[in-house]
Amino acid sequence: MGLAKEEDANHLTDKVSDAIARVEREATNEKTVPGPSPNPATNLLIHEIVLRSAGRLTRHTLEKALLGRKYGSQFAKDAVENRSIVHTLAAYGVTKYATKSIPGALIVGLGLVGKTLFDRSQSRRKARRKGEKTIRGQADGDTLA
């Protein structure tokens, strides 16, 4: 497996990362992955762990804040931290699919719009009760999905 040429970049993330790398190479005249180790694979692993940790902390903080406004901070903490593995893997899979391509993003986006329209087509009271039941089950750790 060789390094991809800049012309072969298919995704927006490829184009942006290539542009950043090109600017940094021109500025520093270095061809190494920046970081504490001389091994670029180690530096890449360190960067990945830091970025994923920061993303997870940010996501959990925002989710707890959103739920905490209505249900209280302890309930929000329980609901966010007691998600089932099925729920976590489904969210990860859908996110991965949506970020792979523009058609994937459109399909996921349309699915979310469809779900929102479906929820709105039901009575507000019924939709609210169903959502609260799901969140309460999640907070109690009683849910499989």
Side-chain angles (χ1 to χ4, degrees), residues 10 21 23 58 86 89 100 103 120 124 144:
N10 294 325
V23 168
T58 302
V86 173
L89 290 175
K100 285 271 186 188
R120 288 180 171 247
R124 283 191 178 269
L144 293 175

Side-chain angles (χ1 to χ4, degrees), residues 119-120 122-129:
D119 288 347
R120 288 180 171 247
Q122 297 179 344
S123 73
R124 283 191 178 269
R125 200 176 282 168
K126 181 179 177 183
R128 187 174 295 133
R129 270 196 315 265

Side-chain angles (χ1 to χ4, degrees), residues 36 51 54 59 70 80 93 96 98 126 134:
L51 287 172
R59 187 176 61 252
K70 179 171 182 176
V80 170
K96 189 80 165 176
K126 181 179 177 183
T134 301

Side-chain angles (χ1 to χ4, degrees), residues 69-82:
R69 289 185 67 189
K70 179 171 182 176
Y71 299 104
S73 61
Q74 185 58 45
F75 178 85
K77 180 179 187 246
D78 292 342
V80 170
E81 293 179 0
N82 288 332

Side-chain angles (χ1 to χ4, degrees), residues 129-144:
R129 270 196 315 265
K130 186 175 179 181
E132 287 184 0
K133 181 180 177 187
T134 301
I135 290 175
R136 290 195 190 288
Q138 194 169 302
D140 295 336
D142 294 345
T143 184
L144 293 175

Side-chain angles (χ1 to χ4, degrees), residues 100-116:
K100 285 271 186 188
S101 65
I102 292 174
L106 290 173
I107 290 169
V108 170
L110 287 173
L112 294 173
V113 168
K115 173 64 171 137
T116 302

